[in-house]
Amino acid sequence: MCRYYLAIDIGASSGRHILATIRDGKIILEEVYRFNNGMIEQNGTLCWDMVTLFQEIKTGLKKCHTLGKIPAYMGIDTWAVDYVLLDETEQIVGEAVGYRDNRTKGMDEKVYAHFSPDELYQRTGIQKMILNTIYQLMAVKEKSPVYFEQAKDMLLIPDYFNFLLTGVKKMEYTNATTTQLVDIHTNDWDYELIETLGYPKGLFRPLSMPGTIVGRFTQDIQAEVGFDCQVVLAATHDTASAVLAVPTNDDNAIYISSGTWSLMGVERIHPDVGLDSMKANFTNEGGYDYRYRYLKNIMGLWMIQSVKKEFREHLSFAEICEQASKETISSLVDCNDDMFLAPESMIAAVQVYCRNTNQQIPNSVGEIAAVIYNSLAKCYADTIHQIEVLTGKKYDTIYVVGGGANASYLNELTAKYTGRTVCAGPTEATAIGNLLVQMLYDGMFKNLQEARACVRNSFEIKVYGGQV
């Protein structure tokens, strides 16, 4: 009889339920449900529709029951930094505001009145991004202080969904590190930082590591979905899960978790909170078993996803890549420029950047896409150089995991710009990493090295620019 594990992987634009089992030494995946996601505007604020998202979670669980494939364990991962505040009746205080909302504008200066950027980095190891939770909470303090008076708990998004399923509140470590409020030296909340900034200390529950049992479904959830299940803390930050599924145990490899964002870096045992690292805008996010994901956030496929929605023609990503590959335009943009974070028109933003830097302005679908894809590949090459300088190591291979592993044109450009071998796959890395934590807890693998070897043996890896 098959033993099933379920990953619920929710990204900024979609979510899916993926069942897994191990057969003949390989991980076998089955997508059983998929749903849409996206920020919605409520009273001028960009928010997540938490009610609908949780209904979709339950709908996917019901599908497992209908199929007769009941998971022994399940885990949830989502995007980082966003959260909900809960009052004493467990209701959400205010809204579940999304990270692209502009309420954090100017909140960095409010934080810097207490801690300099250098000190923040040395304490937390996290790069400054205006969307980080530390700045979101400052926006609450400055603009909606009554929310802090009403709130009794804070849960990051996957922690909240785990609570709705089990009635148990836990805060998971890997996602918590992205808040810029966790002490890099103790791997616990930096309570001095929290209290000095004026955030209620009681909102921050003790941190739990991936592989911790949250609990079983509540009686109400069991009655609704038709079965019981043990919920395990995955590495609930989707990038932490994706990095778990990088199919190598080679220390001389760089990964790109490629999706809406491109997260590019290496896995380290010790963080780097030095000044050079901070100036290069590298972050030290927490990973499985207290590893550190030493990486840089790059805007990623968000730019292509955005322009695709603006094109008059209804084109697939493959068709967009095909048109881009025929262009010779040499214009490049800085993918990390804040102007590309949430523009009203991504096409206009790309054109404005090119105009302001005296480059050829792209107009056609192919030209606009070519500028974005080449700019991403150039950014990857620049980032590799920075990583090698900062770590003092030479890296031969880039492992591209996540949805971007399917972007053949971008992978070809990445091999060209970097001069490195690019290994692309698996595409379902985030869900696989989520599943690996469950399997490790269940004793299916002795350690992470064995689990990653199984990933390499289970999924197709496409190679660009060389052989490994």
Side-chain angles (χ1 to χ4, degrees):
M1 186 175 184
C2 289
R3 188 167 181 81
Y4 291 103
Y5 305 84
L6 174 66
I8 301 178
D9 170 33
I10 309 177
S13 58
S14 66
R16 60 264 179 90
H17 292 57
I18 295 182
L19 281 170
T21 190
I22 294 181
R23 189 182 308 145
D24 299 325
K26 293 185 177 182
I27 300 170
I28 308 299
L29 302 181
E30 177 184 0
E31 182 180 300
V32 297
Y33 187 66
R34 180 176 285 265
F35 55 92
N36 292 325
N37 188 26
M39 296 180 200
I40 58 175
E41 187 171 317
Q42 294 181 346
N43 301 317
T45 301
L46 289 176
C47 304
W48 301 105
D49 186 347
M50 301 299 284
V51 173
T52 298
L53 282 174
F54 188 57
Q55 189 59 50
E56 295 285 19
I57 288 173
K58 292 186 291 185
T59 299
L61 292 172
K62 293 174 188 176
K63 185 66 179 292
C64 294
H65 182 258
T66 300
L67 293 171
K69 297 178 178 180
I70 308 301
Y73 298 94
M74 62 149 287
I76 298 177
D77 66 80
T78 75
W79 64 96
V81 306
D82 288 342
Y83 63 91
V84 294
L85 297 174
L86 301 179
D87 65 19
E88 60 185 9
T89 68
E90 317 293 12
Q91 299 303 303
I92 294 177
V93 177
E95 299 86 20
V97 182
Y99 60 82
R100 292 190 190 277
D101 186 75
N102 64 8
R103 67 175 176 163
T104 55
K105 184 177 181 180
M107 293 302 114
D108 48 350
E109 294 304 322
K110 299 289 186 180
V111 171
Y112 297 158
H114 301 279
F115 297 94
S116 70
D118 291 14
E119 186 175 2
L120 276 178
Y121 190 76
Q122 289 164 6
R123 295 178 79 115
T124 69
I126 300 299
Q127 71 178 132
K128 184 275 181 80
M129 296 185 72
I130 197 62
L131 50 81
N132 288 351
T133 319
I134 189 174
Y135 306 113
Q136 293 197 42
L137 292 176
M138 183 58 72
V140 173
K141 177 186 172 185
E142 294 293 316
K143 301 177 181 180
S144 306
V146 68
Y147 290 173
F148 279 162
E149 296 174 15
Q150 298 170 351
K152 302 301 180 185
D153 276 296
M154 182 182 84
L155 293 174
L156 297 172
I157 298 298
D159 299 328
Y160 176 62
F161 289 137
N162 284 336
F163 163 65
L164 293 180
L165 289 172
T166 67
V168 178
K169 296 174 182 173
K170 287 188 180 293
M171 298 190 79
E172 189 271 325
Y173 164 75
T174 67
N175 210 3
T177 63
T178 70
T179 65
Q180 209 174 346
L181 291 165
V182 172
D183 189 322
I184 193 72
H185 307 288
T186 66
N187 294 317
D188 195 4
W189 296 113
D190 187 333
Y191 289 108
E192 181 185 13
L193 172 62
I194 289 166
E195 291 185 291
T196 301
L197 293 177
Y199 308 157
K201 180 180 177 181
L203 297 179
F204 298 85
R205 289 177 168 264
L207 297 179
S208 299
M209 289 299 293
T212 301
I213 286 289
V214 181
R216 290 189 172 277
F217 289 170
T218 65
Q219 292 296 321
D220 287 346
I221 295 296
Q222 290 180 44
E224 185 171 355
V225 305
F227 64 92
D228 190 13
C229 183
Q230 287 218 77
V231 178
V232 178
L233 278 183
T236 62
H237 180 199
D238 51 12
T239 306
S241 277
V243 170
L244 273 166
V246 173
T248 182
N249 289 303
D250 182 4
D251 291 336
N252 292 317
I254 285 178
Y255 59 77
I256 303 175
S257 177
S258 181
T260 301
W261 292 88
S262 289
L263 296 309
M264 186 173 189
V266 295
E267 196 172 56
R268 304 184 70 169
I269 301 300
H270 303 289
D272 181 350
V273 294
L275 186 60
D276 289 341
S277 185
M278 187 194 77
K279 287 181 177 178
N281 215 22
F282 274 78
T283 199
N284 298 268
E285 294 176 351
Y288 181 79
D289 197 25
Y290 293 113
R291 291 167 168 81
Y292 292 95
R293 291 173 287 125
Y294 185 64
L295 58 83
K296 174 173 279 192
N297 287 272
I298 300 167
M299 199 65 71
L301 296 177
W302 158 252
M303 297 179 71
I304 283 291
Q305 293 165 356
S306 297
V307 298
K308 181 178 183 291
K309 295 176 182 177
E310 296 184 55
F311 292 145
R312 293 180 180 178
E313 302 173 69
H314 294 290
L315 300 170
S316 68
F317 287 113
E319 290 169 330
I320 293 171
C321 284
E322 176 65 22
Q323 293 192 32
S325 67
K326 297 175 182 178
E327 300 295 340
T328 58
I329 187 169
S330 60
S331 302
L332 296 171
V333 301
D334 178 2
C335 300
N336 293 321
D337 193 296
D338 285 347
M339 69 185 296
F340 301 120
L341 183 62
E344 291 185 11
S345 167
M346 186 65 75
I347 291 174
V350 170
Q351 291 173 330
V352 166
Y353 187 100
C354 291
R355 181 181 298 112
N356 290 344
T357 53
N358 298 315
Q359 300 182 85
Q360 180 182 340
I361 299 171
N363 290 301
S364 68
V365 169
E367 286 180 343
I368 292 164
V371 169
I372 292 173
Y373 280 124
N374 278 274
S375 297
L376 281 172
K378 173 65 163 54
C379 188
Y380 296 160
D382 293 343
T383 302
I384 282 183
H385 175 70
Q386 290 178 315
I387 291 173
E388 290 184 336
V389 169
L390 290 166
T391 63
K393 296 179 66 175
K394 177 76 173 177
Y395 297 92
D396 305 319
T397 308
I398 302 169
Y399 283 85
V400 179
V401 298
N406 285 328
S408 296
Y409 178 55
L410 178 57
N411 295 330
E412 291 169 2
L413 289 175
T414 301
K416 171 186 172 183
Y417 275 84
T418 65
R420 309 302 202 280
T421 298
V422 173
C423 296
T427 57
E428 301 290 356
T430 304
I432 293 167
N434 181 328
L435 293 161
L436 291 184
V437 172
Q438 300 174 46
M439 293 173 176
L440 282 160
Y441 175 83
D442 200 28
M444 300 302 291
F445 303 113
K446 291 185 295 185
N447 51 42
L448 181 56
Q449 289 73 26
E450 186 174 283
R452 281 176 166 159
C454 184
V455 173
R456 183 65 187 242
N457 187 47
S458 300
F459 302 99
E460 179 184 10
I461 310 296
K462 294 182 179 179
V463 178
Y464 301 83
Q467 298 291 330
V468 278

